Amino acid sequence: MNTNEESQVDRTTIDEIISRHRGKPGELLTVMEEIQEASEFKYLDKLSMDYLSSQTKVPLSQIYSVATFYSFFNLKPQGKHSIIVCRGTACHTKGSKTLLNDLSTLPGCKEALDSGETSFTTDDRLITVKTVACFGQCALAPVVAVDGIIYSNVTSEQIKKLLQHLQEDKKDENIRLY
Ligand code: FES
């Protein structure tokens, strides 16, 4: 496994991604997306971004502003499973705070979210909990995305069951909320 001090994506892979998209519309976004996807823990690490900047001559500051602007980019290692809770007004009204409280039973999660972080990953890198401002599906509130699948009208019972399922012995399975 790579450590944080090593580039998460090897240079040959980054070179190949850059050359495949060179000169195409939206080149930087696509390249960054593919580098993140190639990273074991699905994030853009500093060394990979340094190398991308040096190879493309795009200033590092520009790469970071893109990475921080789009919520689908991660600057920290991600868990195997992701649970994203919408914190928009419609979802809040329909109980998203309760869902977040259920997830905050994961050790360290409450502290991270209370300190203003929008993302938390368990120490064993099994689960990443995130919040978003709005999924754009307010009529289906409260909305939660689990491993990229959007679920509507999510209940506290479903979240608790999901956590229990993950913390038992089914960690490697694809997970579904219902
Ligand atoms: S407020 Fe949650 S989807 Fe819009």
Side-chain angles (χ1 to χ4, degrees):
M1 184 195 301
N2 286 321
T3 68
N4 283 343
E5 289 73 40
E6 294 173 327
S7 174
Q8 297 292 306
V9 183
D10 65 67
R11 293 183 166 199
T12 312
T13 302
I14 295 177
D15 288 342
E16 186 274 321
I17 292 171
I18 293 170
S19 73
R20 199 152 30 81
H21 295 288
R22 199 180 301 280
K24 293 184 182 165
E27 176 182 343
L28 181 62
L29 267 182
T30 311
V31 165
M32 289 171 66
E33 244 182 302
E34 289 197 15
I35 292 173
Q36 176 168 286
E37 197 48 40
S39 143
E40 182 180 2
F41 297 108
K42 307 294 179 229
Y43 78 109
L44 298 169
D45 66 288
K46 183 176 181 317
L47 291 181
S48 296
M49 294 304 91
D50 285 347
Y51 186 66
L52 173 63
S53 174
S54 72
Q55 295 305 98
T56 57
K57 308 294 177 238
V58 175
L60 195 55
S61 58
Q62 188 181 335
I63 291 174
Y64 273 98
S65 49
V66 169
T68 48
F69 182 78
Y70 292 100
S71 61
F72 54 82
F73 287 124
N74 307 310
L75 293 172
K76 291 183 187 169
Q78 300 297 290
K80 178 175 174 53
H81 299 292
S82 76
I83 304 173
I84 308 176
V85 179
C86 178
R87 292 293 290 128
T89 308
C91 287
H92 180 79
T93 309
K94 292 288 192 76
S96 68
K97 181 82 176 99
T98 304
L99 306 180
L100 215 47
N101 287 343
D102 293 333
L103 293 165
S104 293
T105 56
L106 292 166
C109 184
K110 182 175 180 354
E111 294 73 11
L113 297 180
D114 283 354
S115 73
E117 298 274 342
T118 55
S119 171
F120 164 78
T121 299
T122 53
D123 285 344
D124 60 2
R125 289 190 180 160
L126 177 65
I127 306 169
T128 292
V129 175
K130 282 188 185 180
T131 58
V132 289
C134 178
F135 279 117
Q137 310 219 18
C138 312
L140 307 175
V143 179
V144 174
V146 178
D147 285 352
I149 298 174
I150 300 267
Y151 294 90
S152 57
N153 304 306
V154 176
T155 65
S156 179
E157 286 64 36
Q158 287 167 337
I159 292 289
K160 285 177 183 159
K161 207 164 134 197
L162 178 72
L163 281 183
Q164 192 184 357
H165 177 83
L166 280 171
Q167 287 164 335
E168 287 168 358
D169 55 353
K170 298 166 183 164
K171 297 179 178 179
D172 290 329
E173 285 182 8
N174 289 331
I175 55 169
R176 296 191 63 85
L177 199 50
Y178 52 79

